[in-house]
Amino acid sequence: MNLKVRLPVFVLVMEVVMIALYAVFVTYDDNANAKMQNNETNPMDNSVYRDYPFFADVQVMIFIGFGCLLAFFRYYGFSGMVFNFLTATFTIQWAILIQGFFQFYHDGKIYLGVVNLVNAEFACAVVLISFGAVLGKTGPVQLLVLALLEVPIFSVTEWVVLKYIRINDAGGSILIHLFACYFGLGVTFVLYRPGLSKGHAKEITSYHSDILSVMGTLFLWVFWPSFNSALTLKGDDQHRAILHTFIGLCSSTITAFALSAVFNKRGKLTMADIQNVTLAGGVTVGASVDMMISPVAAYCLGIMGCTACFFGYRYLSPFLARHMKIQDQCGIHNLHGLTGLISSTAGICAILLATEETYGPSMYQIFAHRAPPEGDPRLLELQMQIPGLKPGLGRSAQEQALYQLAAIFSTIAAATVGGLITGFVMKLPFMASPSDGDCFDDELFFDMPSDFNMIPFFKLLSQSAVFQIFHA
Amino acid sequence: MNLKVRLPVFVLVMEVVMIALYAVFVTYDDNANAKMQNNETNPMDNSVYRDYPFFADVQVMIFIGFGCLLAFFRYYGFSGMVFNFLTATFTIQWAILIQGFFQFYHDGKIYLGVVNLVNAEFACAVVLISFGAVLGKTGPVQLLVLALLEVPIFSVTEWVVLKYIRINDAGGSILIHLFACYFGLGVTFVLYRPGLSKGHAKEITSYHSDILSVMGTLFLWVFWPSFNSALTLKGDDQHRAILHTFIGLCSSTITAFALSAVFNKRGKLTMADIQNVTLAGGVTVGASVDMMISPVAAYCLGIMGCTACFFGYRYLSPFLARHMKIQDQCGIHNLHGLTGLISSTAGICAILLATEETYGPSMYQIFAHRAPPEGDPRLLELQMQIPGLKPGLGRSAQEQALYQLAAIFSTIAAATVGGLITGFVMKLPFMASPSDGDCFDDELFFDMPSDFNMIPFFKLLSQSAVFQIFHA
Amino acid sequence: MNLKVRLPVFVLVMEVVMIALYAVFVTYDDNANAKMQNNETNPMDNSVYRDYPFFADVQVMIFIGFGCLLAFFRYYGFSGMVFNFLTATFTIQWAILIQGFFQFYHDGKIYLGVVNLVNAEFACAVVLISFGAVLGKTGPVQLLVLALLEVPIFSVTEWVVLKYIRINDAGGSILIHLFACYFGLGVTFVLYRPGLSKGHAKEITSYHSDILSVMGTLFLWVFWPSFNSALTLKGDDQHRAILHTFIGLCSSTITAFALSAVFNKRGKLTMADIQNVTLAGGVTVGASVDMMISPVAAYCLGIMGCTACFFGYRYLSPFLARHMKIQDQCGIHNLHGLTGLISSTAGICAILLATEETYGPSMYQIFAHRAPPEGDPRLLELQMQIPGLKPGLGRSAQEQALYQLAAIFSTIAAATVGGLITGFVMKLPFMASPSDGDCFDDELFFDMPSDFNMIPFFKLLSQSAVFQIFHA
């Protein structure tokens, strides 16, 4: 009922809008334009070969990694995986336009290449992280509205932070993880369901859904180095980003296992920890991922992020749900918020500690805003050493650190306000939010195979007398 | 019983044949031959680095994407996934030989490099698509015979079309999708089973098989840009192919969700639509995937292909099954036939609309047959602008369009006839086709784990009085 | 209980040790060090672009391929997949250090780049293969101890063989597969459990665990060419390695299907064969994977390896378990030992048959130890043809073959002794080995979802009178 009219109407309207906008504004960038190729163009130097491998890895993360990870509920596997698919595809085509206007627009056109797709996938990651906060409690139309509103709010924030505040954030700890987290918390705050404050009978996993979810975790784990390094400078910067992410994930993972065992009553492992907490290291290294922080620092960041994330799940999430009306379904505040804050802080420290002694002249490439401004004689000197160096803003390390701080606070503020507004829109009556009883249940949205009905039967049966007899 | 003799004999004979042919004919191409390397060879310029990344992506599609997608039946998951594995490995080694004779043969040898493997994987995609028409109703020996015959028929068709008719078909809409579709329909027409015209009790899915199948869809979705761009020209052509495929898939996916909801009685989503119809955009952009069609055209093609595919599943497939004895199990006519026809038509339009104004001189690289022929003064002029330009056939846009049309009809004709013949061979008594009752059942071919027997029990139980009591 | 103290203590101690060692010893290699970049560095020439694609593929194999493959037990899916994850992450961070000291250490520092990670993943593969011998019968602390001890023993062996014996073994048949196999057999010999000599009630699969495991096989299959070629020379050598691995896997797969059917009582396929024996070809081509052995030789190696592996599972594994107290849970002796021996033998043959006629001057790059030593006039002559050729040891083919033989025997000896010692350590009382009854059961280590308890109930039910009535 819910979907029969609303979903098609939404899609139809958006498709008309997008066809119009794509037709008027979107054209090929120079690397994708046949006309821009001439006898001096080497096809193998096309930007597609630098961007596409990373794009493909991020695709796997978005569609398969997130998709499986979000399918962890026993009765909500279809929805978790399939709404992720729907939301991601909608977000990406929308983000190509919206980010296009902010980042790839000149002379009246949005210039499109694979690099735009990489950016759009990042916007998509933002939406999917926010989605995690309301998983199981929102219908597909609500999710599309979430994407519809979050993408422009994110794009404006991204544009202001990158263009005016100008920060270092290669792995997106601030712009992706903090933004997505606080936006999602804003949404879920508005969508607070007092009826679910004591949980829901279907908020459980099954043997197979847990395994599926771990597979999602593994896909995210494996390709996270590509995510964190997709938009760094090429060369040694990207190389370090890969190393740091990998090391951070490794230390984070073994820490998660240890914490899971030691804080479990019976000393057993909890699958939810393995599905989520292991990944904390990937976020935590983000803000400083391309800097010369040294491998041991990445190792320690992995441990710190993992620890914060673990205790967040254990103590902070229940607290937020009970006392602040923030029902954070997947615990995004732990995996993206707390780790994002640690990461941002680490990024500031790394900026304050950066010296030419460690980085050599390429310091002014990594910290582009610290490069001397146009006309500064020091710039010419540096350009002798690094021919392509662009003029910067001549910021000191301390100044850059303050700008980072400003970016953190503005991002959180923009995300929270944006999330609250979006939450109100999603709560409007015609959004057809599922009733409390229908939450966490595929049956509301899907034609189910016949074995789905049997699952509750087994549960009843297992509690019945017959079962007790057999089981005894 | 079925497999104990026939499968091993088939494999043994084919292995002897292949060892003989590989020994006599197959050698390394220049890029894989140690002897051809000298002091002017730069190892990093080896063709392997251009071809292998795309090959690896296509591998994932063939083995994991198709494998999971075809495992959607509740009692036929082993067979779907494992026969896909068997058929694919057999097809590839066979296609290396057969395509080798047509495309990579000179001086008495087939020259082998990774590029041959990419071509062989495409032949493999053809066989697996055709397989979709008879899924559940054929044994492994029949499938191997299908591959044995389809590969040569495909290779001849491919060779005639590429060498004599000479067309543009970068994404393989004509040669891969249309060929595979009509071949498969030919086969299933001959293998028509009147006993199954009202369906089969085991032709159902389960909660887990549906999720598995969606995973297959996601793997195909994610790597489809690599599939469509694997054999384009390098540089901007490949760049555009990636962009178009991605955009086409995005618009196709949201359209599939909308149509699925609006045409469902209760406004719910149907998993079969999400597993199949979402992918229609990838096929539909195929024939014009490397051309300057503009991003919005790719967007519209995705919507059109998806719509045709959706209504094909809804109306055309039942019609074909009821009135034309074509039982198209996976609906390949919708996902590959209708979309392939739209794509081919779009390709012809794109050819007719192509101008030097849009493409610049590189138009004569993309539309190689429109380049002036050897000796034409215009050729020399163009070679000043594009040094490597090869002489073409001097075709006009209209001429090329007619050749495309010819290619479409000859491909469909060759595929249909080939499919019918192959169907007759597969129907021969010693092929041991499964009886109607044994269709869609893993038990015929596999030693099953003990929980498999329990599934029908649950079904019985769920219809029984005990269940009704508990469930009430 | 088991994990509550021991696992956290182990992890904590190791993290302290690793932080100390990383802090003191690990720094960036030149390709990852900002300071080493100057105006002559081309970022796109950074080694990360040569190593990372292969690294990413191997990552998928280690975490997802192995993870799914090892999840084949019905009641041990969590453990198989998750302990693989834990063991792999621990092994890699540990191997970065230990291998670092042997292979990447100079001037008091370990120099870290993505190439170290590739090597560490190989050490990881070694540990995970050995793990296969004791799957289901060891707890996570025991597995971490296994990794803790195996990595240094492996690294020493690798260092001695590569630095002093100096062999050709691009695909790691000797150093990876033989070492891992005999180490694992040594461990399982010591951990012999007479109580399990007649099997265990939970040593069974389920419909879903079998499918999951096949997915693991497919991921390993698809990316195996990257595994075998990750550390070859770049260019034609890597190209051949990819071709040979792919061809070997293809012939191996169809042979596995044929053998599975013909030796099954009822002519049906056995999933365990499809999960394991199909992969034998990947190991068997290993030692000669980069040589000019000709495609048909790779094809035949695939068939030979597969056949040996198949009969190993059928006859040798039961023999070893019954008469030699070697309970090889996953049959690693068949998939890695027998195939490794065939591969090593084939490598020796290929070395003996190698001539300059076939390889051209680049023979002295592939067989680096056969290059003339420093000062030999023949060296200068060759360096005219191949500018970068490094002086070798001037070995003849026969000499090199003997060194290969020496490497095989020393590797097996070192692995066996190392495995026995490690087994004794793992057997120490405080390692808390699971009791015989608790083997193959996730419940010992995990908080289980509620449907897990129901599975045995179904089993009981299915054997009960009620079931018989319904099923009849």
Side-chain angles (χ1 to χ4, degrees), chain B residues 262-285:
Chain B
V262 78
F263 284 95
N264 181 288
K265 275 179 207 157
R266 299 177 297 163
K268 296 192 178 188
L269 297 168
T270 306
M271 282 304 255
D273 295 335
I274 289 154
Q275 286 151 4
N276 296 290
V277 185
T278 51
L279 294 169
V283 184
T284 322
V285 295

Side-chain angles (χ1 to χ4, degrees), chain B residues 78-227:
Chain B
F78 281 12
S79 305
M81 186 174 261
V82 164
F83 293 163
N84 180 74
F85 185 24
L86 172 64
T87 310
T89 45
F90 173 74
T91 303
I92 292 173
Q93 55 194 282
W94 183 230
I96 288 173
L97 275 175
I98 303 298
Q99 287 185 316
F101 282 118
F102 286 105
Q103 293 184 45
F104 303 99
Y105 184 83
H106 55 92
D107 305 322
K109 289 282 177 188
I110 294 168
Y111 290 85
L112 182 69
V114 169
V115 71
N116 307 43
L117 304 190
V118 178
N119 275 280
E121 301 252 300
F122 282 0
C124 186
V126 167
V127 172
L128 296 178
I129 292 167
S130 301
F131 170 22
V134 293
L135 181 74
K137 300 183 291 195
T138 38
V141 177
Q142 287 181 298
L143 293 172
L144 292 176
V145 169
L146 171 75
L148 182 71
L149 298 178
E150 185 163 7
V151 168
I153 301 171
F154 168 70
S155 299
V156 173
T157 311
E158 188 186 24
W159 175 70
V160 169
V161 167
L162 294 182
K163 175 121 186 173
Y164 295 101
I165 310 190
R166 301 205 183 179
I167 61 163
N168 283 90
D169 184 23
S173 290
I174 299 169
L175 275 170
I176 294 176
H177 296 288
L178 284 182
F179 184 93
C181 167
Y182 289 99
F183 193 97
L185 295 189
V187 170
T188 199
F189 178 78
V190 178
L191 298 184
Y192 178 66
R193 288 171 181 265
L196 297 184
S197 64
K198 290 182 179 164
H200 187 292
K202 291 189 175 158
E203 231 176 327
I204 53 170
T205 65
S206 72
Y207 196 60
H208 296 112
S209 73
D210 266 331
I211 284 182
L212 189 64
S213 187
V214 172
M215 282 187 68
T217 301
L218 293 175
F219 276 108
L220 291 173
W221 204 99
V222 159
F223 291 113
W224 207 299
S226 296
F227 185 89

Side-chain angles (χ1 to χ4, degrees), chain B residues 388-403:
Chain B
L389 188 72
K390 287 182 196 144
L393 305 168
R395 288 182 184 166
S396 71
Q398 287 73 16
E399 284 168 354
Q400 183 61 39
L402 288 173
Y403 280 103

